[in-house]
């Protein structure tokens, strides 16, 4: 398969590439597109054969369900069989945006979307290109992140091309994404609602709307049954071995002294031994998240032997970033 790339201005998406992409989706094709979190790998969510193509393209296990993207909350309601008041409150507050809601599925949703389970995950993305595509296609679009399974999620079209060239029909290049890490996944079928994956909408913001929310369990390995399916321990990993610790200075020093090529992700600039590639990230959770995968992609391309990351604080605001770092560093 030849993978085409079409550029789309994220501020003023032109019709032509979107109509091409929409037509491909209607014919059962795979289209990668930017969202405000990371790039997604989209297929018509109502076409089981089209969604099934996502799995080999990514190398994703079939027991991992995918998020369905919609143009509006009204469209999301058609895919679910119950829409609690909590969903209204959350949609009102956070959509379009990086929050995914898990709700009881409607009968028309194919099994391949839900991995055969009783629920479906829905979200209305905020990226102008994603919204324009959803409106042009007039379809619900099932889309996991547009990376090979277990690899870093893509925040640029180039990252998608590197992983999926020859495996998808089209990449819409809308430039770098702004949010930088994935959406928050919240299970509204649990009492109280349960956070399945921390993401760009943080726990304090959810609890301000909902009251208490249950925290995600510990990351699982791939062996047991997957109750919170996306929570495989190893995920979002660069190829370069990565170590996270509260203060990486001593380890960086030791590795550099031994002659190793080292990258160091810090919170704000820090002095480092000569030759160490330092990437300082902003000391606030949103600013840090926005640049995290970008930084890891960059370091992963720099032919290093080790990436060292200074862990951000243990507060709820940093939960999503710490979660991604823990997964990136587990082996
Ligand atoms: O920001 C995002 O969420 C990006 C963009 C493209 O929207 N998408 C994304 O998709 O990260 P993916 O497939 O890489 O991660 C989706 C997560 C997985 O952990 C999956 O197991 C979980 O959502 N999920 C999907 N449907 C679910 C369901 N019905 N019940 C529980 N978890 C579900
Ligand atoms: Mg993913």
């Amino acid at each position: 398969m030849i993978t085409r790339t079409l550029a789309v201005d994220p501020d003023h998406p032109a019709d032509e590439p979107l109509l091409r992409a929409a037509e491909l989706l209607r014919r059962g094709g795979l289209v990668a597109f930017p969202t405000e979190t990371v790039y997604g790998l989209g297929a018509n969510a109502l076409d089981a054969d089209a969604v099934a193509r996502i799995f080999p393209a990514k190398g994703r296990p079939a027991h991992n369900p995918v998020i369905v993207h919609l143009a509006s909350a009204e469209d999301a309601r058609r895919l679910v069989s119950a829409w609690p008041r909590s969903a209204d409150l959350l949609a009102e507050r956070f959509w379009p945006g990086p929050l995914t809601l898990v709700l009881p599925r409607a009968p028309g949703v194919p099994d391949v979307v839900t991995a055969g389970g009783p629920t479906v995950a829905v979200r209305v993305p905020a990226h102008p290109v994603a919204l324009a595509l959803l409106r042009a296609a007039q379809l619900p679009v099932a889309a996991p992140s547009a990376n090979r399974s277990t690899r870093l999620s893509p925040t640029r079209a180039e990252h998608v091309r590197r992983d999926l060239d020859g495996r998808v029909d089209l990449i819409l290049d809308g430039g770098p994404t702004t949010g930088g890490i994935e959406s928050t996944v919240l299970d509204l079928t649990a009492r109280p609602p349960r956070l399945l994956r921390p993401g760009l909408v943080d726990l304090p913001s959810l609890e301000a709307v909902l009251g208490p929310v249950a925290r995600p369990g510990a990351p699982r390995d791939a062996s047991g049954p997957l109750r919170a399916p996306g929570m495989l321990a190893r995920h979002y990993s660069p190829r370069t071995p990565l170590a996270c610790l509260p203060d990486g200075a001593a380890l960086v020093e030791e590795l550099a002294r031994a002659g190793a090529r080292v990258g160091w992700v810090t919170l704000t600039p820090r002095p480092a031994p000569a030759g160490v590639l330092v990437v300082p990230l902003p000391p606030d959770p949103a600013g840090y998240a926005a640049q995290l995968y970008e930084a890891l992609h960059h370091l992963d391309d720099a032919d290093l032997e080790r990436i060292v990351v200074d862990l951000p604080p243990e507060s709820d605001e940093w939960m999503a970033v710490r979660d991604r770092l823990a997964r990136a560093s587990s082996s």
Side-chain angles (χ1 to χ4, degrees):
M1 172 192 295
I2 305 281
T3 300
R4 305 216 38 191
T5 299
L6 294 175
V8 197
D9 180 343
D11 299 318
H12 308 279
D15 287 344
E16 211 274 324
L18 294 168
L19 294 175
R20 287 269 286 280
E23 179 57 23
L24 275 166
L25 288 173
R26 274 194 290 273
R27 283 190 299 185
L30 298 183
V31 175
F33 61 97
T35 81
E36 75 280 26
T37 61
V38 300
Y39 274 73
L41 170 52
N44 175 0
L46 300 179
D47 177 343
D49 294 333
V51 178
R53 284 186 201 113
I54 290 175
F55 293 80
K58 268 184 71 89
R60 182 185 180 103
H63 59 258
N64 199 354
V66 290
I67 296 172
V68 181
H69 297 69
L70 303 125
S72 67
E74 294 83 82
D75 289 351
R77 292 177 77 140
R78 291 198 199 102
L79 289 196
V80 305
S81 63
W83 182 261
R85 186 169 148 65
S86 56
D88 256 341
L89 295 173
L90 292 165
E92 178 80 18
R93 171 75 180 78
F94 297 109
W95 281 357
L99 176 65
T100 296
L101 300 178
V102 171
L103 289 160
R105 73 195 269 194
V109 179
D111 274 341
V112 64
V113 170
T114 68
T119 61
V120 63
V122 290
R123 113 170 167 95
V124 177
H127 196 291
V129 173
L131 280 176
L133 175 62
L134 290 165
R135 289 188 190 123
Q138 297 189 295
L139 289 171
V141 172
S145 52
N147 52 288
R148 295 280 293 169
S149 201
T150 79
R151 290 299 181 200
L152 283 175
S153 293
T155 57
R156 294 177 179 270
E158 299 89 281
H159 302 155
V160 179
R161 178 164 281 280
R162 204 176 329 163
D163 265 17
L164 299 178
D165 193 21
R167 296 172 169 273
V168 302
D169 296 288
L170 175 66
I171 301 170
L172 288 178
D173 181 354
T177 66
T178 51
I181 62 171
E182 298 85 350
S183 67
T184 303
V185 181
L186 182 70
D187 183 357
L188 287 182
T189 70
R191 284 272 168 285
R194 173 179 283 278
L195 188 59
L196 296 181
R197 179 179 71 181
L200 284 176
V201 174
D202 68 19
L203 190 66
S205 305
L206 292 175
E207 292 192 320
V209 174
L210 292 179
V213 168
R215 275 136 211 272
R220 317 176 51 91
D221 63 21
S223 53
L226 296 174
R227 224 201 63 71
M231 305 307 275
L232 302 173
R234 185 172 171 82
H235 211 145
Y236 320 110
S237 316
R239 292 172 299 263
T240 315
L242 182 147
C244 299
L245 55 178
D247 182 345
L251 176 59
V252 167
E253 180 83 33
E254 182 192 320
L255 290 165
R257 212 173 323 115
R261 296 183 305 279
V262 184
W264 188 14
V265 180
T266 62
L267 284 150
T268 71
R270 298 188 69 176
V276 172
L277 187 50
V278 184
V279 180
L281 294 185
D284 66 288
Y288 190 105
Q291 293 178 33
L292 175 61
Y293 288 153
E294 179 73 20
L296 294 180
H297 278 290
H298 169 66
L299 291 171
D300 210 18
D301 290 342
D303 188 31
L304 302 168
E305 286 154 277
R306 190 79 79 88
I307 300 171
V308 177
V309 181
D310 287 348
L311 272 176
E314 243 173 275
S315 66
D316 283 347
E317 287 78 8
W318 285 99
M319 191 191 290
V321 160
R322 289 177 58 98
D323 169 79
R324 299 310 186 273
L325 288 172
R327 289 166 205 288
S329 58
S330 73
S331 54

